[in-house]
Amino acid sequence: PKGVTYNQHNSMRPSTTSVGCHKLLLPPAGVTVTRTFACSVVCLKKTNVFDGGAPTGGDTEEDDAIDDHEVEELFQEVQFPAAAAVGQQKVFIVQPDVKWSRRKQQQTTAELMMDEAVALVHTLDHWRVVEKVAVSTKTPEKKRIFGKGNFQLLSEKIRQTSGVTVVLVNVDRLSAASQVRLLWGVRVLDRYSLVLHIFRTNARTREAKLQISLAEIPLLRSRLKNEFADMDQQGSGARYIGGSGETLWEVQQRLLKEREMKIRSALEKLKRKRKLLRSRRQRCHFPVVSVLGYTNCGKTTLIKALTGDAVLQPKDQLFATLDVTVHAGQLPSHMTVLYVDTIGFLSQLPHQLIDSFSATLEDIKHSDLLIHVRDVSHPETENQKMNVLNVLKNLEVPDRLMSSIIEVHNKTDLIQDYQCTDSSALPVSALWGRGLETLKTAVEAEVVNLAKSRWLNIPVDLSTPQLSWLYREGAVQDVQVNADAGTAVVKVLISEAAYGRYRKLFG
């Protein structure tokens, strides 16, 4: 390629070495690399990596176990567009304002989308919005998002705004061609790359880090396409490397594919572990209730109010929860249920992001009951509801779960004299604990119905393990003890299956 000087025959086959979890292509001995390739997959730097000619390592046997070190390599090795933006960032937000669309009627407004973009930016520490502007467009999904006149006005506005370091074009994904055309001398992000950066900032567990790394793959492919298009214009993008028969483009594509396969393999192992944990919960016969909703609707606050779990620390922040957590709570009958806190949803994000988090969202499909939390104080609460339901549909959540969803109207304390117009919805204030007993009763009614449970008065002999067995397998509400006879009558909510096991054990 351009800038590479061969001191030996070009027909020599390059060698390979391992850096992190990837194999990098090394030039043969004597090759001097003077150009730094900006390719996202293999970060070739102006260092002495290639000096000396000989590989510094070899292929190693991969361990089946995925440890923290491997996860960190996959999570940190490749930087996507927002990752390099460290420290204080001054953001200029550009909101395409669609005045007319032949494809569909818009379900929101530019102003509300702008507000959400501002909230996304302010989620990040040291990021602040210095200017925001809505620009009319008829083709937000085309290569040319804005017309020539509007683009010139927008470019002038960006240049006149002091200190801009990032431009956020508030569309779900910018095409590779769009990114090339939007050249303002600063970093340009779309919602996809911004949300991924927020995810990356909040990720704590191995699973979240791997899923984020997988979601970055489409961005890396897009950058690769841009960079090699630029190299082709310089006459250097289609060169063969030595005599390997592979162009530099093909090498980078192969390495990116290998990275993707490694991430998917690691996720599959964690997916099997999650399946094992689900099977253990099922053996304990605890009903599982998944709490879901649009981001920042108050899911974590509600679960904390229902369970009293001090570990939960809700935040008034978008995407504060990325990892599935499970918390035990008791219903009025003393039945124990497990509430699953899930990642929040967001509008206008590509399917790749949802697909990447399918391992986490799969817990939703294996629940006994779903609670859909809505922030009724938000001006777009109806659109947010439709967005959540569409995601559930794309996840192919079973009809039995979709038909029994309990809809909760949260943050009613922010609306003066709130009147719920939907008779099937339950108004609550998770922050102030209002309406929680009604919600628990509704959850209990659904769980009892799904588990085919019933209330029974069962006589037990206190000298046997009958009472402890009923406490373990059912929801004991009352025990009337006859001390003289050494017996008791136990009022218990128990499933038909558990009662069948009880009779088999104790007659």
Side-chain angles (χ1 to χ4, degrees):
K2 184 177 181 180
V4 176
T5 304
Y6 290 105
N7 293 337
Q8 299 190 26
H9 295 294
N10 290 352
S11 60
M12 291 184 64
R13 182 178 299 275
S15 55
T16 61
T17 187
S18 296
V19 176
C21 58
H22 297 309
K23 289 191 295 186
L24 303 186
L25 201 65
L26 294 183
V31 174
T32 303
V33 178
T34 58
R35 174 188 172 118
T36 299
F37 296 109
C39 303
S40 310
V41 185
V42 188
C43 302
L44 308 184
K45 303 176 183 178
K46 292 181 181 177
T47 65
N48 294 326
V49 172
F50 294 150
D51 290 350
T56 58
D59 297 337
T60 58
E61 197 69 23
E62 292 184 0
D63 189 354
D64 279 343
I66 300 299
D67 58 27
D68 290 336
H69 178 69
E70 288 178 285
V71 172
E72 288 301 325
E73 280 188 338
L74 288 168
F75 186 58
Q76 295 180 357
E77 184 167 319
V78 179
Q79 290 187 335
F80 66 101
V86 294
Q88 178 112 12
Q89 299 299 320
K90 297 181 179 180
V91 184
F92 190 111
I93 299 179
V94 180
Q95 175 61 56
D97 187 0
V98 182
K99 298 301 183 183
W100 175 85
S101 176
R102 185 169 54 187
R103 185 173 61 86
K104 65 177 181 179
Q105 184 177 2
Q106 296 298 303
Q107 296 180 340
T108 185
T109 65
E111 291 76 14
L112 291 173
M113 289 299 299
M114 179 80 81
D115 291 341
E116 188 168 81
V118 171
L120 285 169
V121 170
H122 288 164
T123 297
L124 294 163
D125 293 336
H126 311 301
W127 287 51
R128 65 185 182 91
V129 176
V130 294
E131 186 60 87
K132 52 185 181 179
V133 60
V135 181
S136 298
T137 178
K138 294 181 180 180
T139 56
E141 296 159 350
K142 302 296 184 182
K143 293 180 180 179
R144 291 188 178 274
I145 298 177
F146 308 108
K148 185 176 180 180
N150 281 339
F151 181 76
Q152 289 177 345
L153 292 174
L154 177 60
S155 300
E156 187 64 27
K157 180 77 172 175
I158 293 172
R159 283 192 291 268
Q160 291 175 356
T161 304
S162 175
V164 175
T165 58
V166 174
V167 173
L168 170 63
V169 182
N170 196 28
V171 296
D172 54 352
R173 281 288 301 276
L174 287 170
S175 68
S178 296
Q179 289 175 323
V180 170
R181 288 187 172 91
L182 298 176
L183 297 176
W184 292 307
V186 295
R187 192 171 302 278
V188 179
L189 305 179
D190 50 29
R191 282 168 67 90
Y192 188 55
S193 53
L194 178 63
V195 169
L196 271 180
H197 188 48
I198 296 171
F199 280 11
R200 178 173 275 270
T201 303
N202 292 340
R204 297 294 179 268
T205 66
R206 291 186 298 172
E207 191 167 27
K209 292 176 180 180
L210 287 170
Q211 290 176 134
I212 291 165
S213 299
L214 181 61
E216 288 172 0
I217 295 294
L219 284 179
L220 297 176
R221 285 204 172 97
S222 177
R223 290 180 66 192
L224 203 59
K225 184 176 181 180
N226 286 348
E227 289 158 358
F228 275 91
D230 178 60
M231 291 174 67
D232 281 338
Q233 291 176 4
Q234 301 177 37
S236 60
R239 299 287 192 271
Y240 288 91
I241 296 183
S244 67
E246 281 188 302
T247 64
L248 185 58
W249 162 259
E250 291 169 338
V251 171
Q252 302 296 344
Q253 287 282 46
R254 174 171 55 78
L255 291 174
L256 185 56
K257 183 65 176 176
E258 289 173 0
R259 173 181 173 82
E260 180 179 4
M261 291 174 64
K262 187 174 181 67
I263 295 172
R264 290 189 182 278
S265 175
L267 276 172
E268 187 61 33
K269 293 173 184 176
L270 290 177
K271 187 176 180 181
R272 290 196 294 268
K273 181 180 177 181
R274 184 176 291 279
K275 184 177 180 180
L276 178 62
L277 292 175
R278 278 200 303 267
S279 66
R280 288 176 180 173
R281 291 201 298 262
Q282 290 169 353
R283 285 200 299 270
C284 293
H285 308 294
F286 292 138
V288 177
V289 180
S290 285
V291 182
L292 51 91
Y294 206 80
T295 183
N296 205 31
C297 66
K299 300 181 296 298
T300 304
T301 304
L302 179 62
I303 293 176
K304 183 170 184 176
L306 290 171
T307 64
D309 193 339
V311 174
L312 288 166
Q313 296 298 327
K315 298 179 182 178
D316 184 14
Q317 176 181 313
L318 301 181
F319 299 114
T321 300
L322 285 183
D323 306 302
V324 169
T325 55
V326 181
H327 310 270
Q330 280 201 329
L331 299 178
S333 64
H334 304 297
M335 178 190 293
T336 299
V337 295
L338 301 178
Y339 294 101
V340 179
D341 196 2
T342 63
I343 183 175
F345 301 156
L346 186 71
S347 66
Q348 287 191 317
L349 284 180
H351 291 299
Q352 295 101 318
L353 190 60
I354 299 298
D355 292 342
S356 299
F357 279 79
S358 61
T360 293
L361 295 173
E362 191 173 355
D363 277 323
I364 294 174
K365 297 194 289 185
H366 294 278
S367 305
D368 296 299
L369 182 66
L370 303 181
I371 294 179
H372 177 196
V373 184
R374 290 176 54 189
D375 175 4
V376 291
S377 68
H378 197 283
E380 288 223 278
T381 182
E382 289 296 331
N383 285 341
Q384 291 180 354
K385 174 183 177 178
M386 295 307 300
N387 204 276
V388 170
L389 294 178
N390 286 335
V391 172
L392 294 178
K393 182 179 178 181
N394 292 335
L395 288 173
E396 298 180 349
V397 174
D399 291 338
R400 65 171 181 83
L401 285 173
M402 295 297 293
S403 61
S404 62
I405 291 179
I406 295 178
E407 184 174 303
V408 171
H409 289 187
N410 191 26
K411 302 188 182 182
T412 55
D413 55 290
L414 299 179
I415 303 176
Q416 188 174 6
D417 301 323
Y418 177 73
Q419 298 294 326
C420 183
T421 57
D422 187 348
S423 59
S424 62
L426 300 178
V428 305
S429 170
L431 186 63
W432 296 101
R434 300 171 189 164
L436 297 185
E437 293 306 315
T438 303
L439 175 57
K440 289 181 181 180
T441 301
V443 170
E444 181 174 279
E446 288 291 341
V447 167
V448 169
N449 180 55
L450 291 169
K452 297 181 180 179
S453 301
R454 51 179 172 158
W455 287 104
L456 294 174
N457 291 311
I458 301 177
V460 300
D461 184 344
L462 295 177
S463 64
T464 71
Q466 288 174 280
L467 182 58
S468 61
W469 194 95
L470 289 173
Y471 266 107
R472 186 171 65 252
E473 299 292 335
V476 175
Q477 190 172 60
D478 185 48
V479 180
Q480 298 293 329
V481 177
N482 184 338
D484 294 334
T487 61
V489 176
V490 182
K491 183 179 181 181
V492 60
L493 179 65
I494 190 169
S495 68
E496 292 181 3
Y499 186 51
R501 292 194 301 273
Y502 174 84
R503 287 189 299 178
K504 187 176 180 179
L505 285 170
F506 303 107

